[in-house]
Amino acid sequence: MTGLSEPPALGTPMLPPGTFEGKVVVVTGGGTGLGKAIGAEFARLGATVVVASRDPEHREKGVAAMNAAGGKGFGIAVDVRSPEAIAAAFDEIEKECGPIDVLVNNAAGNFPVLAEKMSPNAWRAVTDIVLDGTFFCSTELARRAIASGREAAILNIGATYSWTGGPGTAHSAAAKAGVTNMTMSLAVEWAPYGIRVNCLAPGLFPHDDLPSVLRDKNNRSEEQDAARVPAGRVGRPHELGWIATYMCSPFASYLSGHTAVLDGANWLRRGLRMPDFVPVYEQFNFEKDS
Ligand code: NAP
């Protein structure tokens, strides 16, 4: 059994060159990991890619990645939990780069914690960024696009535990489920204005920027990670870039309200004959109270 084959190499063109020439693409959290990889594919297709996040070092690395991919990188400081900060950042982007054509709501926070030990602050630390931040950025863009009569595309980055729940990460799973659901509401509300809203749910996509709190405590190798997935391999971040650019491109102009799952069939492999159940505190090496 060989599993699913590796994709073409990073940098291989999928859409016609210049598909996003003259377009302004904002990627929240575009300075690290998957956001950076997604932004780079827009940049490769000619976009001005705005890296919108809090940490100046992240933004600097993101802008360098967009420039290296052949686009134009632009960094903007923003905390997506603040509607006022988003409005100010969008003003600045419009002034420096022009009106926004594509918004990728990628920013997120996450950390494993037992639900019964999760403080209200811990809950809000994740839901404020993932659910509220996605809504605030999306509505800010939509108000501007509706007022100016310009078309736009929004891509939310979700997760497959939207449908399964996420034991050990109840805050993130609930927030991502909200994002998946909100994608459908906004798609219907805004299609009459030419605004498309879609969602992309990645599976297992390890990358070097992953915060230590999310790295597997058992330090599994890539081969061991690959054994977790029916595809027999983990995802490559540029594969997300390809599907993200397609979903926001004119080739997908009839696609709205959709959540695409890119996970090598991993989340579907549930059944009555699962491997032995491992309680959450054991999976994450947490202390058990009693
Ligand atoms: P990551 O490297 O930790 O990236 C998260 C980004 O969000 C950072 O660049 C961070 O930038 C930004 N961010 C966090 N809080 C913010 C805030 N309040 N305002 C603005 N920006 C903020 O994570 P990743 O693995 O690339 O994940 C990217 C997306 O894919 C997330 O939505 C995640 O849930 C989803 N996902 C990832 C995987 C995976 O296997 N990696 C699987 C499923 C889903 P600053 O620190 O500079 O603000």
Side-chain angles (χ1 to χ4, degrees):
M1 286 190 296
T2 54
L4 300 183
S5 60
E6 285 291 339
L10 173 68
T12 309
M14 187 193 74
L15 293 171
T19 295
F20 287 95
E21 201 74 57
K23 302 289 182 194
V24 176
V25 177
V26 175
V27 185
T28 65
T32 63
L34 306 186
K36 188 167 67 179
I38 290 170
E41 292 310 315
F42 282 99
R44 215 180 301 289
L45 293 165
T48 295
V49 180
V50 180
V51 177
S53 82
R54 299 161 304 173
D55 183 329
E57 269 184 46
H58 289 164
R59 293 199 299 275
E60 200 179 313
K61 285 186 183 145
V63 168
M66 303 315 146
N67 291 333
K72 188 166 161 271
F74 182 78
I76 190 91
V78 73
D79 186 328
V80 298
R81 294 170 293 187
S82 160
E84 296 76 24
I86 295 165
F90 281 28
D91 281 346
E92 184 70 13
I93 293 166
E94 284 184 350
K95 190 167 133 245
E96 296 297 326
C97 308
I100 299 165
D101 299 289
V102 174
L103 167 67
V104 181
N105 284 308
N106 165 81
N110 194 10
F111 49 89
V113 53
L114 295 172
E116 71 272 23
K117 295 195 171 173
M118 195 184 299
S119 68
N121 273 348
W123 171 265
R124 284 192 286 263
V126 172
T127 60
D128 281 0
I129 301 170
V130 175
L131 183 58
D132 296 16
T134 298
F135 183 71
F136 296 154
C137 288
S138 301
T139 45
E140 188 60 45
L141 175 63
R143 278 190 286 271
R144 289 165 191 251
I146 291 167
S148 62
R150 289 178 63 89
E151 293 190 349
I154 297 174
L155 184 67
N156 299 323
I157 304 302
T160 51
Y161 50 34
S162 283
W163 300 285
T164 61
T169 51
H171 44 13
S172 171
K176 291 290 191 186
V179 167
T180 308
N181 184 283
M182 192 199 330
T183 299
M184 297 184 280
S185 304
L186 301 183
V188 174
E189 286 202 33
W190 295 342
Y193 301 105
I195 302 171
R196 296 188 295 114
V197 188
N198 288 295
C199 183
L200 173 57
L204 192 55
F205 280 80
H207 58 78
D208 293 342
D209 296 327
L210 215 53
S212 56
V213 72
L214 287 181
R215 296 221 176 98
D216 194 312
K217 287 191 175 147
N218 299 320
N219 273 330
R220 289 169 67 104
S221 65
E222 187 183 307
E223 269 175 9
Q224 289 171 312
D225 264 346
R228 290 173 156 159
V229 188
R233 67 171 177 87
V234 295
R236 308 296 173 202
H238 66 280
E239 292 181 273
L240 287 170
W242 284 331
I243 191 165
T245 48
Y246 164 69
M247 292 175 86
C248 297
S249 77
F251 297 95
S253 61
Y254 204 51
L255 184 77
S256 199
H258 181 70
T259 294
V261 174
L262 199 71
D263 81 334
N266 200 22
W267 83 273
L268 297 170
R269 68 187 177 99
R270 292 175 182 230
L272 292 178
R273 292 169 183 229
M274 297 285 287
D276 288 352
F277 176 69
V278 182
V280 174
Y281 61 84
E282 261 180 52
Q283 281 181 43
F284 290 101
N285 298 335
F286 286 131
E287 292 289 318
K288 185 168 171 267
D289 278 344
S290 56

